[in-house]
Amino acid sequence: MNDLHAGSAPALRRLLDLLASGAATEDFTDVLADARRRGAPADVLGEIDDATWQALRVHRTLRQHRRREAELTALFDTAGDLAASRDLDSVLQAIVRRARMLLGTDTAYLTLPDEAAGDTYMRVTDGSVSVLFQTLRLSLGDGLGGLVAQSARPYATPDYRTDDRFHHTDVIDAGVVDEGLVAIIGVPLLLGGRVIGVLFAADRSPRAFSPDEVALLCTLAAHAAIALDTAKALADTRSALAELNSANELIRAHSAAVQRAERGHDRLTDLVLRGAEVPDVAAAVAALLGGGIAVLDTEGEPLAGRAAAPGAGPAEAAAASRAEGRAVRHGGAWVCAVLAGQEQLGTLVLRGRPDLDDADRRLFERAGVVTALLLLLRRSVAETENRVRGELLADLLTAPDRDPAGLTARGRRLGVDLGRPHLVLVAEPGRGGVGGGPAAVRSRLAGAAGRYLFGARGISAEHGEAVVLLVPDGGGGGAGAEAVGEGGEAVGAAGGCTAGGGAAGDVAQRAAEQAAERLARLAGFPVTVGAGRPASGPVALATAYAEGLRCVRALRVLGRDGEGASAGSLGFLGVLLGDGHDVSGFVGATLGPLLDYDARRGTELVRTLRAYFDCGGSLTRAKDELHVHVNTVVQRLDRVEVLLGQDWNGPERSLELQLALRLQLLSGA
């Protein structure tokens, strides 16, 4: 026995060395072959054969343990990748690479469904060399992957090309052939019993996959499913966080807007209670909304803030706002109609805030309500004051000399100083395009006059068939001051001189023209306005009214209905109609260019013109009267035409010139 063991000992040591070094299987069989070549006895060869068989069992067991160790290491690494929440692409790429390495296949890949396209696509590949295969898209239910997805079970084929268990398609087969694949195994990625993808391993030669390899690939597929589910959960979490942040921003913005609206409401309420004016409200709203506010009246004139550029008024936007009952956008601005019921009192315009949230928009609209309230209060007060002042004006025009001191005292109690110069405007409805009865038309004109004087210190009242406006002058003696109408615009002016006498006449004329134009817009029909001379005291004001009334009558006779004029602007008619009979003013206005020319040059244009008219327009008789050559008369008359205009010899103009020449002689000027 000892000889037997001694004979087999070298072979047994060699087998142990092979086991220790992890030699290949064929190396173990070489030990028995070497013993036979050395001529070992049969019993020694039998012992070596038994030892070789036992060594192969141990070798196989060790190899299985090493493979399991490698598999476990790969699974632990994959689990570590999942726990570290790495990028999804990196995790999937690592899983596919490990599947290929552990199964020892030529390639491995993973497909995922495309819900939008209704098919599946190659998500990750490892070991692939075919672009056609890498971009392959599989219809649902086609190929080995379709079978795996439908059955939710793993399938393996030793030769894909000849396997008829699944549906072959030309597209899939072309991709498999281009990649050169033969043996393929596919396992499902399961999530809650639902297939969310397929993991594949494939060889380019026929091969049978063992149950251990199938189990290993299923485990890697489970990890891939977890990675996909984790990525989706993270994406959903990020989306939820983003939505939550957005919601928080909206809540903060809404909260800030609500707080701003509360402050705005309190501020506007405080302004109303303190009796603030429209500009105060506009300034407060501008500060609250961070933009520029303009308050316009019904004609687009500014009550506060900056008016719109010419041709760019928000009239259409105001009409839309009135129809919708809310603020509307107009270019880069916002427009809100200021309404009292269905009546539009004005318009709010907000600039510098192209975008308004709901809270700011409601604050802007509330400002329109507050503005309407203030305008109604102002109009109510103004109408009441104007009615009482109108009674004063009616008494003043009816019986000014009955109690002048009493009238002056009444006016002072009402805030009207009759001792200061005033301009009297007499307005009558035009004859054309006026609907309704005389009383209704006159009432409309009276209302227009009240709005025309809204915000000014003037008063108005119906008197006879006209409406009379008393506009305060800036003080006697020259430069007049403009009265301020609704919105702050000038409505007229008066000087302290007599009508037709220089600057005061010009101011009275402008006041009449402006009043006629503005009253026509406010009333909706033509209005004829006559301006009397600026005057102070009850009696003088009544006289100025009579002069203004005569101017209105003269305008109608002259066919100038719907215009405005003063006595000084009516030429010789003004001299006849005016109570002051301003002869020198008429002469200066008519012959002024000739008188100035003669004074500067020492010529005799005025004398020549008088001789020409006295001689009936005869040049021959005029040259005898002047003792000059006829050419001299012609040259002088040419100069007259240059100075007075080509119509100097027309019927109306020549009448004025002849009257002025006669008055000049009579006055000794």
Side-chain angles (χ1 to χ4, degrees):
M1 177 66 67
N2 290 333
D3 293 340
L4 175 63
H5 289 312
S8 63
L12 294 178
R13 284 195 299 271
R14 185 178 176 190
L15 289 173
L16 290 174
D17 290 338
L18 291 174
L19 285 173
S21 63
T25 303
E26 55 270 18
D27 293 339
F28 289 86
T29 59
D30 291 343
V31 176
L32 181 60
D34 290 342
R36 283 195 181 98
R37 284 195 300 270
R38 290 196 301 269
D43 52 353
V44 173
L45 291 176
E47 186 176 359
I48 294 173
D49 186 40
D50 291 340
T52 300
W53 182 77
Q54 292 294 337
L56 287 173
R57 287 181 59 190
V58 172
H59 179 270
R60 185 166 53 252
T61 301
L62 290 174
R63 185 173 61 186
Q64 289 176 348
H65 283 310
R66 282 194 294 269
R67 186 178 69 249
R68 292 289 176 84
E69 182 181 0
E71 292 173 356
L72 289 174
T73 300
L75 294 177
F76 281 130
D77 290 342
T78 304
D81 292 342
L82 296 177
S85 300
R86 291 171 51 190
D87 177 67
L88 177 62
D89 288 337
S90 301
V91 173
L92 294 180
Q93 187 69 50
I95 291 173
V96 171
R97 185 180 303 110
R98 287 165 185 154
R100 178 191 174 200
M101 178 188 67
L102 293 175
L103 270 66
T105 56
D106 296 321
T107 183
Y109 50 96
L110 185 146
T111 62
L112 296 179
D114 186 341
E115 297 180 359
D119 59 6
T120 61
Y121 66 100
M122 291 287 183
R123 182 68 167 82
V124 180
T125 64
D126 189 73
S128 173
V129 295
S130 170
V131 176
L132 176 62
F133 183 77
Q134 294 168 9
T135 58
L136 194 64
R137 298 187 74 93
L138 295 76
S139 300
L140 298 178
D142 292 338
L144 186 144
L147 182 62
V148 173
Q150 285 181 335
S151 62
R153 296 172 57 189
Y155 275 89
T157 175
D159 191 343
Y160 177 87
R161 294 166 295 184
T162 61
D163 198 330
D164 58 0
R165 289 178 300 168
F166 40 82
H167 181 250
H168 287 264
T169 67
D170 294 339
V171 175
I172 299 174
D173 290 350
V176 171
V177 171
D178 193 59
E179 187 65 52
L181 301 181
V182 177
I184 304 176
I185 179 174
V187 297
L189 276 64
L190 296 174
L191 188 64
R194 183 170 59 92
V195 178
I196 62 172
V198 179
L199 177 62
F200 297 88
D203 256 339
R204 295 187 175 92
S205 58
R207 169 180 172 175
F209 293 96
S210 67
D212 288 342
E213 292 174 328
V214 175
L216 174 61
L217 197 60
C218 286
T219 303
L220 291 172
H223 285 176
I226 294 172
L228 290 169
D229 185 52
T230 302
K232 182 178 182 301
L234 287 175
D236 292 343
T237 302
R238 293 190 185 99
S239 178
L241 287 175
E243 292 178 359
L244 182 60
N245 289 334
S246 178
N248 286 335
E249 290 295 332
L250 289 176
I251 291 173
R252 282 195 291 268
H254 180 71
S255 177
V258 170
Q259 292 177 1
R260 189 163 59 252
E262 291 177 352
R263 292 196 302 270
H265 180 270
D266 295 342
R267 176 64 175 153
L268 294 177
T269 302
D270 180 64
L271 288 173
V272 173
L273 294 177
R274 289 194 295 104
E277 296 294 335
V278 172
D280 300 324
V281 173
V285 176
L288 290 169
L289 295 180
I293 290 286
V295 184
L296 310 179
D297 64 11
T298 53
E299 298 180 47
E301 298 295 333
L303 295 172
R306 179 170 55 88
E316 295 182 1
S321 173
R322 178 179 179 180
E324 297 179 16
R326 60 182 307 178
V328 299
R329 191 163 181 170
H330 175 67
W334 286 86
V335 175
C336 181
V338 178
L339 301 175
Q342 294 300 315
E343 181 185 3
Q344 183 171 345
L345 304 178
T347 305
L348 283 183
V349 180
L350 172 62
R351 300 181 179 89
R353 282 292 305 275
D355 296 317
L356 282 182
D357 56 28
D358 290 340
D360 284 349
R361 187 170 179 171
R362 287 193 295 270
L363 176 58
F364 181 49
E365 292 166 352
R366 184 178 296 275
V369 175
V370 172
T371 303
L373 176 61
L374 291 180
L375 290 177
L376 280 177
L377 290 174
R378 286 180 57 188
R379 189 169 72 178
S380 177
V381 171
E383 288 175 351
T384 302
E385 292 179 347
N386 200 52
R387 183 166 56 252
V388 177
R389 292 174 177 177
E391 295 173 356
L392 168 66
L393 184 57
D395 292 343
L396 172 67
L397 301 180
T398 302
D401 52 355
R402 180 182 304 168
D403 185 12
L407 290 173
T408 301
R410 281 176 58 191
R412 191 174 293 111
R413 287 194 298 270
L414 296 175
V416 180
D417 187 1
L418 298 180
R420 294 183 56 190
H422 285 74
L423 180 67
V424 182
L425 302 176
V426 181
E428 290 189 357
R431 295 177 179 174
V434 183
V441 172
R442 191 164 55 252
S443 177
R444 283 173 58 187
L445 179 56
R451 294 196 300 274
Y452 177 59
L453 294 176
F454 186 45
R457 298 183 303 276
I459 59 176
S460 63
E462 295 183 49
H463 189 70
E465 298 181 357
V467 174
V468 182
L469 297 87
L470 198 62
V471 181
D473 181 36
E482 293 184 341
V484 179
E486 184 178 4
E489 72 283 1
V491 299
C497 341
T498 56
D506 294 339
V507 169
Q509 171 64 19
R510 288 198 303 272
E513 291 174 348
Q514 292 172 3
E517 187 270 335
R518 183 80 193 283
L519 288 173
R521 292 207 315 266
L522 292 171
F525 49 76
V527 178
T528 306
V529 178
R533 68 182 59 248
S536 58
V539 176
L541 289 171
T543 301
Y545 158 73
E547 182 178 306
L549 185 61
R550 288 194 294 271
C551 287
V552 172
R553 301 290 187 270
L555 288 172
R556 287 190 167 179
V557 170
L558 294 173
R560 295 170 58 182
D561 207 33
E563 297 183 18
S566 63
S569 66
L570 295 177
F572 71 92
L573 286 178
V575 176
L576 299 176
L577 297 173
D579 287 305
H581 301 299
D582 183 18
V583 174
S584 61
F586 172 69
V587 171
T590 307
L591 300 177
L594 303 184
L595 294 171
D596 292 342
Y597 192 88
D598 285 347
R600 291 196 312 270
R601 303 292 183 90
T603 55
E604 295 184 337
L605 296 183
V606 174
R607 180 168 173 260
T608 301
L609 186 62
R610 183 182 298 114
Y612 173 75
F613 283 131
D614 289 344
C615 296
S618 171
L619 297 175
T620 303
R621 292 172 54 193
K623 63 100 176 172
D624 293 337
E625 178 73 20
L626 297 170
H627 304 289
V628 295
H629 194 275
V630 67
N631 290 339
T632 302
V633 177
V634 172
Q635 292 172 0
R636 291 179 179 178
L637 293 178
D638 288 342
R639 176 57 59 183
V640 169
E641 181 175 334
V642 171
L643 295 174
L644 299 182
Q646 294 182 353
D647 63 338
W648 72 272
N649 206 14
E652 294 184 6
R653 189 71 182 282
S654 64
L655 177 60
E656 285 191 358
L657 290 172
Q658 292 181 61
L659 179 59
L661 291 169
R662 290 283 184 260
L663 291 174
Q664 183 197 28
L665 286 177
L666 291 174
S667 64

